Amino acid sequence: SQNDECDVCGGDGSTCSDVSVSFGTLTSDSVEILYTSSGSVSGFQFDVSGLNLTGASSDLEVSVGSSTVLGFKLFGDDLPAGSGTLATLTYDAITAESSSLSLGTDPFGNVDGAFTDGNGNLYASVSFGDDLVHGPADCAGAFGGDATEDNCGACDSDSSNDCVQDCNDEWGGTAWES
C-alpha cells in the first residue's frame, strides 16, 4: 500500500489538514505572525526574509536564529485550531524592500521547515500570505524610510536644516543683499 498526499499509508487524502501563515501588525521593532489552522499546532519552523530578527514570543517555546523561527510545545497546551497569533517577532533592522515567509531550504535545496499538529504529525499543506512591503531604501539606506537629500547633499528627515538659496541663487551660499 502507498502513502497518500497526506503521508497516510493506504490513505485516500481525506485526512489532510492545512495551515496558513501571514504577517499581522508591523511596528517599528516587531511584527505579528498570524495563523489559521484546521487543527491544533504543536510545533513550527519557518523562515522570514527582509528583517534582522532579534527575538520572538509565542504561547509555545520559541527561538530565532538568523532568519529561522522555531517553535515547539515543551510544556502547556498546543496552539488551538482556528485563527490566532502564532508568534510576535522582534527585529532591529529592515534589510530589504519587502519581507516574506517560507518553509526555507537547507544548503542542499531541501525544504527544512514544517508545522506539526497536536499529535506531532506534519501538516500536509502550509501556505503563506502576501509579502510585507517596506518600500525602497531612502538616501540614508533605510528601507521604507523618509530621509531625503536636500539641494546641498544633506540626507535626513529634518526639513528645518535644509539649505536655502542665497541672493545669487546659490544653494547653501552666503551672499546677501545689503
Side-chain angles (χ1 to χ4, degrees):
S1 191
Q2 291 190 337
N3 289 353
D4 66 9
E5 63 268 23
C6 305
D7 209 24
V8 173
C9 182
D12 61 6
S14 63
T15 63
C16 288
S17 51
D18 62 347
V19 174
S20 62
V21 182
S22 61
F23 287 107
T25 302
L26 176 75
T27 71
S28 62
D29 65 356
S30 69
V31 64
E32 288 179 318
I33 305 298
L34 307 176
Y35 78 99
T36 300
S37 174
S38 59
S40 63
V41 175
S42 65
F44 55 81
Q45 180 179 323
F46 61 92
D47 283 5
V48 181
S49 69
L51 297 172
N52 187 45
L53 300 178
T54 57
S57 62
S58 173
D59 287 343
L60 301 179
E61 298 295 317
V62 65
S63 63
V64 297
S66 182
S67 62
T68 301
V69 181
L70 176 65
F72 55 91
K73 180 177 104 174
L74 189 58
F75 304 107
D77 296 329
D78 297 337
L79 297 175
S83 297
T85 301
L86 185 68
T88 300
L89 309 178
T90 55
Y91 66 92
D92 63 6
I94 297 173
T95 60
E97 288 189 22
S98 65
S99 294
S100 63
L101 300 167
S102 71
L103 289 178
T105 55
D106 67 17
F108 304 103
N110 302 307
V111 172
D112 62 359
F115 282 74
T116 55
D117 67 16
N119 296 319
N121 298 313
L122 292 176
Y123 275 99
S125 171
V126 178
S127 60
F128 295 98
D130 293 340
D131 288 357
L132 185 62
V133 177
H134 308 294
D138 64 11
C139 62
F143 291 98
D146 62 358
T148 56
E149 189 171 317
D150 69 17
N151 286 307
C152 295
C155 172
D156 62 28
S157 50
D158 178 8
S159 60
S160 70
N161 69 0
D162 286 356
C163 66
V164 294
Q165 286 178 302
D166 66 10
C167 64
N168 291 328
D169 292 332
E170 184 180 324
W171 286 98
T174 59
W176 56 281
E177 288 185 51
S178 56

